[in-house]
Amino acid sequence: MKKILTAAAALLLSVVWLPTATASTTHRVGIATYSLGDSVFELPPSADGTPAKGELTAVVHYPKDLAGHRYPVVLISHGLWISCADKQAWKDQDYEKLDAWPCAKGTPEIPNYRGYDYLGTTLAAQGMIVISISANGSKARMGQEQDEARAALINQHLKMWQQLSTAGGGPLAGKLPVNFKGHADLTNVGLMGHSRGGRGTLFEAADLHQKDWPAGVRIKAVIPLAAAEPYSPDDDPNNPELDGYRITNIPVGAFVGTCDGAVRGNVYDYLQANNKQPLYEWTVRGANHDFFNTQWSPSSGQVGAYDDAPADCKDQRMSEPQQRSVATAYTSAFFRRYLLNDRSGMPLLTGAVRPFAVNVKVDQGVGSLR
């Protein structure tokens, strides 16, 4: 019965929200990677002045038909998790070794940024250049300092892509197998961050920090995926502690899992107090935290991968493929709407149709374009 229901949901989804995703509009997808080094990016200074450096590494999913096209860009930032695939250290729960950056010689890194390849492939097939960045080195900072580090890292990647697309120059020149000059539209950027990456993208896109965006870059849509909530001492949505994470002028779509054992993911309430653009919250019944990232999911066989759902979660659990299907559907519909101006997924985004067990909140914002 479950297989029948899943197939029916997939069929309904294809009919309801992807009427334009036909063979004529689906792009063949290429994959490229770049790494400029593990200790090449200077993190913003900590309060005590301790220096730290991180990596400039990413995987890129892109439409192969670049000629004659200028595609929007989606940047993905993974969450806070162990960096090094040390099986013995995991057995011993030795986080000094697991969290080291760079990893000890002979110990492979955990490519946390490759955990969203399923999203990259789908979005690229729909006409977006998707850059999933590695942020393992950012754990040298904690609290809001880590959010600052993640935002600075995002800005550095966006700056490099702006230089590459505008003039074919910058640090990425010659580092990729295809010529992206003129093909990446950095005035039309979407951000998606998972867990602490979600909190970092909220910080990056907040009204207060938009002045820090690189020249020629404009962020048009943000998805906090099971995001770690910004700290606030009370439930006042206007508490000044939240100002550094407050987005009022960009559409935001947030995911919450009812079986998430890591975070609450509640960012809707404080954002709703002041939003002037559409705001969505999709509460996915039975979704945990880790299955959104394939590297963190048990089927990967990766060191440290596990099912984080609490044993007492009363909702019927989603499988790994089911949970990622939900993420793919809503993420695709959201970015198609706000980066490609394709409204075909609005019934899904607003909850007018619900092929999955998802509760939807929507606030279109004051004077929004809907």
Side-chain angles (χ1 to χ4, degrees):
M1 178 61 73
K2 181 182 292 186
K3 290 183 178 180
I4 294 174
L5 290 175
T6 302
L11 177 61
L12 175 60
L13 191 60
S14 66
V15 171
V16 168
W17 77 275
L18 283 181
T20 59
T22 63
S24 63
T25 59
T26 300
H27 306 263
R28 292 174 57 233
V29 175
I31 303 175
T33 60
Y34 62 88
S35 183
L36 307 185
D38 289 338
S39 301
V40 295
F41 178 67
E42 191 80 39
L43 300 183
S46 63
D48 63 5
T50 303
K53 292 184 178 181
E55 71 273 34
L56 287 173
T57 297
V59 60
V60 185
H61 292 79
Y62 61 93
K64 283 189 171 182
D65 53 329
L66 293 174
H69 295 282
R70 193 163 174 253
Y71 294 109
V73 171
V74 173
L75 186 144
I76 298 176
S77 178
H78 67 79
L80 178 64
W81 188 230
I82 59 175
S83 306
C84 305
D86 186 326
K87 293 182 180 179
Q88 186 60 47
W90 179 254
K91 182 178 179 180
D92 297 339
Q93 292 292 279
D94 184 346
Y95 281 92
E96 184 174 349
K97 292 181 179 179
L98 293 167
D99 287 335
W101 190 258
C103 297
K105 186 177 180 179
T107 301
E109 71 171 272
I110 295 178
N112 291 305
Y113 67 104
R114 297 302 303 262
Y116 313 98
D117 282 1
Y118 67 99
L119 287 173
T121 299
T122 300
L123 296 175
Q126 296 173 12
M128 305 171 220
I129 294 173
V130 185
I131 307 159
S132 183
I133 67 172
S134 180
N136 285 335
S138 69
K139 66 162 62 74
R141 302 284 187 257
M142 293 304 292
Q144 185 165 306
E145 288 186 348
Q146 184 177 138
D147 303 328
E148 294 170 0
R150 286 176 173 272
L153 183 63
I154 290 171
N155 281 332
Q156 180 62 26
H157 280 275
L158 293 177
K159 179 181 178 180
M160 294 192 301
W161 274 87
Q162 172 66 2
Q163 294 170 331
L164 182 69
S165 183
T166 301
L172 293 181
K175 302 296 185 183
L176 292 159
V178 296
N179 182 7
F180 284 96
K181 182 180 178 180
H183 300 305
D185 185 359
L186 275 298
T187 68
N188 195 18
V189 175
L191 298 182
M192 193 216 81
H194 180 204
S195 193
R196 281 302 297 264
R199 183 166 138 172
T201 56
L202 289 166
F203 190 92
E204 162 72 0
D207 296 9
L208 286 180
H209 305 134
Q210 293 175 12
K211 65 183 185 301
D212 300 325
W213 296 348
V217 171
R218 292 293 178 268
I219 295 169
K220 300 290 185 67
V222 178
I223 293 182
L225 174 63
E229 318 85 59
Y231 167 76
S232 180
D234 54 41
D235 293 330
D236 179 5
N238 291 305
N239 192 295
E241 289 278 358
L242 297 170
D243 288 350
Y245 304 86
R246 195 180 308 285
I247 303 170
T248 69
N249 56 359
I250 301 173
V252 176
F255 286 88
V256 178
T258 62
C259 293
D260 191 319
V263 302
R264 290 186 304 161
N266 181 15
V267 301
Y268 182 91
D269 290 343
Y270 86 85
L271 290 176
Q272 186 189 28
N274 297 280
N275 70 302
K276 299 176 183 176
Q277 286 291 322
L279 172 65
Y280 307 85
E281 181 183 79
W282 307 300
T283 300
V284 187
R285 290 171 54 195
N288 72 357
H289 194 74
D290 288 359
F291 288 3
F292 288 120
N293 185 312
T294 59
Q295 291 290 316
W296 302 357
S297 301
S299 67
S300 70
Q302 184 60 268
V303 173
Y306 75 108
D307 180 351
D308 63 280
D312 60 353
C313 182
K314 295 181 172 58
D315 286 328
Q316 182 176 349
R317 292 297 317 287
M318 283 189 166
S319 66
E320 292 181 28
Q322 288 171 335
Q323 187 165 320
R324 292 194 277 271
S325 291
V326 174
T328 300
Y330 284 85
T331 298
S332 297
F334 183 79
F335 284 139
R336 286 170 69 96
R337 168 63 188 91
Y338 295 107
L339 300 183
L340 297 175
N341 198 30
D342 178 350
R343 298 171 179 266
S344 61
M346 286 302 291
L348 186 72
L349 298 179
T350 62
V353 296
R354 291 197 297 168
F356 303 106
V358 177
N359 297 328
V360 179
K361 291 182 183 178
V362 185
D363 187 323
Q364 291 291 358
V366 178
S368 76
L369 298 178
R370 297 177 186 270

